[in-house]
């Protein structure tokens, strides 16, 4: 009788997970070939780019992604990696190689509005929509449960994915996520998409590097970081410049108006939160009054606070790192990540 009850429970849970996964975008996989300048980015990716073709908000769209098979004996697990606003799939390259070397299949999408994915002229951006699109991609690939790892805005998206599809997640990792605080609630003034687009359009190599050096890398700079700055400049001044500038302004608006900070207590998956104590990333700090700006982006405080709110959470703090520990100290970062993944 006990075996029968357990089997029945497993069936119910499997059905629930399948139903959750089914509530997602539907589409097909296109293996290419594609033009070098796919959707306005001619940056060369370290693995072949594929495309998830689907319809969203009454228009056909392309979601570019990389799908990397394990380079050692498969562990039958899949990791999906979510990039941040100023990042693309390739910025996860070292993490991809590390996970593939431990038996993971690794799926790395560029979200709509970013990098090699579509830059729609009219789109309502939301974290829920990003999660919907990504779950649809995974379904099209035949992927069930996943380990979700997100950085920066991708960490914010990881939280939303965890709320939207908890039954399809084995565990989740948030790396220096934006949105650990509700920026508007803390006093960040609203600015229009039009005003944000002016700032986005003015982005140059110098402005992007200056911001990243100060905020992401604690004032330090390594020549390798230039790769990721030039990757962005390539899109800002590429063939889809106008659409990209508008999309990025819309995404700033999305981050400000779609907080996840009030829902951390509702997250069900086992969670690892990684922060660099010297990270000071805060959306809107640059146009906030000084008395507001100085209260934002204190990851040394936000990390422990949020970790205490998530029911099943492990916190790891890098005392001397900033916003991108997977890039600035990959050896230390991956030691922490793999150590936690192995404690299941």
């Amino acid at each position: 009788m006990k075996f029968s009850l357990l089997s029945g429970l497993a069936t119910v849970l499997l059905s629930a997970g399948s139903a959750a996964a089914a509530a997602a975008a539907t589409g097909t996989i296109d293996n290419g070939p594609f033009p070098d300048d796919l959707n306005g980015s001619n940056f060369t990716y370290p693995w072949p780019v594929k495309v998830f073709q689907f319809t969203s908000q009454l228009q056909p769209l392309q979601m570019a992604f990389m799908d990397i098979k394990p380079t050692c004996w498969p562990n039958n697990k899949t990791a999906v990696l979510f990039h941040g606003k100023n990042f693309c799939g390739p910025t996860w390259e070292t993490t991809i190689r590390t996970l593939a070397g431990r038996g993971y299949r690794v799926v790395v999408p560029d979200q709509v509005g970013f990098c090699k994915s579509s830059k729609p002229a009219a789109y309502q951006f939301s974290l829920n929509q990003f999660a919907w699109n990504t779950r649809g991609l995974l379904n099209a690939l035949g992927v069930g449960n996943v380990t979700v790892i997100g950085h920066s805005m991708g960490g914010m998206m990881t939280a939303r994915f965890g709320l939207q599809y908890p039954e399809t997640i084995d565990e989740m990792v948030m790396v220096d996520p934006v949105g650990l605080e509700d920026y508007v609630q803390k006093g960040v003034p609203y600015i229009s998409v039009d005003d944000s687009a002016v700032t986005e359009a003015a982005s140059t190599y110098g402005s992007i590097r200056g911001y990243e050096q100060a905020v992401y890398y604690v004032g330090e700079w390594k020549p390798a970081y230039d790769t990721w700055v030039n990757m962005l400049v390539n899109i800002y001044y590429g063939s889809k410049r106008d659409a990209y500038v508008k999309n990025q302004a819309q995404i700033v608006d999305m981050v400000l108006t779609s907080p996840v900070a009030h829902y951390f207590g509702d997250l069900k998956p086992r969670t690892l939160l990684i922060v660099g104590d010297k990270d000071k990333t805060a959306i809107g700090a640059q146009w906030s009054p000084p008395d507001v700006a100085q209260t934002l982006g204190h990851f040394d405080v936000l990390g422990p606070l949020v970790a205490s709110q998530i029911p099943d959470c492990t916190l790891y703090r890098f005392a001397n790192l900033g916003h991108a520990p997977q890039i600035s100290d990959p050896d230390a970062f991956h030691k922490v990540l793999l150590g936690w993944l192995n404690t299941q």
Side-chain angles (χ1 to χ4, degrees):
M1 181 64 176
K2 182 177 179 180
F3 177 79
S4 177
L5 288 173
L6 289 175
S7 298
L9 177 60
T11 300
V12 170
L13 291 174
L14 181 61
S15 298
S18 298
T26 57
T28 59
I29 303 300
D30 186 344
N31 293 318
F34 305 105
D36 292 337
D37 183 38
L38 179 61
N39 289 310
S41 168
N42 61 26
F43 185 82
T44 301
Y45 280 29
W47 289 274
V49 174
K50 303 180 181 182
V51 163
F52 176 50
Q53 307 268 15
F54 67 110
T55 298
S56 178
Q57 299 182 22
L58 307 179
Q59 59 192 306
L61 295 177
Q62 294 182 321
M63 181 186 235
F65 68 97
M66 295 177 287
D67 184 6
I68 299 91
K69 300 300 188 289
T71 56
C72 67
W73 191 260
N75 63 12
N76 297 317
K77 300 193 73 172
T78 298
V80 58
L81 309 186
F82 295 152
H83 61 76
K85 179 185 178 297
N86 293 327
F87 301 83
C88 298
T91 54
W92 282 115
E93 181 175 358
T94 305
T95 301
I96 295 167
R97 295 188 187 281
T98 300
L99 291 171
R102 294 301 180 98
Y104 284 84
R105 178 183 182 180
V106 189
V107 178
V108 192
D110 287 343
Q111 296 302 324
V112 169
F114 290 89
C115 311
K116 287 188 180 291
S117 290
S118 293
K119 316 289 187 301
Y123 203 65
Q124 181 174 317
F125 285 91
S126 71
L127 296 169
N128 297 78
Q129 182 71 70
F130 282 161
W132 179 272
N133 298 349
T134 305
R135 188 59 254 179
L137 162 64
L138 295 171
N139 290 349
L141 292 173
V143 172
N145 276 34
V146 287
T147 295
V148 183
I149 304 174
H151 168 241
S152 192
M153 184 210 74
M156 193 176 187
M157 183 185 161
T158 296
R160 179 57 61 188
F161 198 94
L163 293 166
Q164 198 159 322
Y165 299 106
E167 298 89 354
T168 74
I169 299 176
D170 291 328
E171 58 265 314
M172 50 188 268
V173 181
M174 296 187 290
V175 184
D176 284 272
V178 298
L180 292 181
E181 53 196 331
D182 183 334
Y183 303 114
V184 174
Q185 182 184 54
K186 295 187 76 170
V188 172
Y190 180 79
I191 65 169
S192 69
V193 170
D194 304 75
D195 290 338
S196 185
V198 172
T199 301
E200 293 291 336
S203 297
T204 63
Y205 171 86
S207 68
I208 296 170
R209 171 176 166 161
Y211 173 76
E212 293 191 358
Q213 184 169 353
V215 177
Y216 292 1
Y217 304 115
V218 199
E220 298 182 351
W221 195 258
K222 299 176 183 177
Y225 302 160
D226 284 323
T227 300
W228 311 125
V229 177
N230 288 322
M231 176 186 67
L232 293 177
V233 173
N234 166 272
I235 313 170
Y236 273 109
Y237 293 91
S239 62
K240 300 293 183 180
R241 168 176 166 77
D242 292 344
Y244 180 67
V245 164
K246 179 183 177 181
N247 288 169
Q248 292 303 294
Q250 291 173 290
I251 287 158
V252 171
D253 185 84
M254 176 195 76
V255 170
L256 288 174
T257 59
S258 304
V260 297
H262 310 289
Y263 302 101
F264 291 127
D266 298 321
L267 289 172
K268 297 177 182 178
R270 187 174 81 105
T271 303
L272 172 63
L273 174 60
I274 298 176
V275 299
D277 277 354
K278 293 190 176 181
D279 190 359
K280 52 184 178 181
T281 305
I283 307 304
Q286 62 270 42
W287 68 78
S288 294
D291 61 325
V292 172
Q294 67 183 4
T295 69
L296 303 172
H298 296 282
F299 277 70
D300 56 335
V301 176
L302 292 168
L305 175 63
V306 171
S308 71
Q309 298 171 3
I310 300 173
D312 186 4
C313 184
T314 299
L315 171 67
Y316 190 89
R317 299 164 63 182
F318 287 105
N320 297 311
L321 298 183
H323 188 61
Q326 77 278 20
I327 296 174
S328 55
D329 194 346
D331 290 341
F333 173 80
H334 293 114
K335 180 178 180 180
V336 171
L337 176 64
L338 293 177
W340 182 80
L341 289 174
N342 289 334
T343 58
Q344 300 182 44

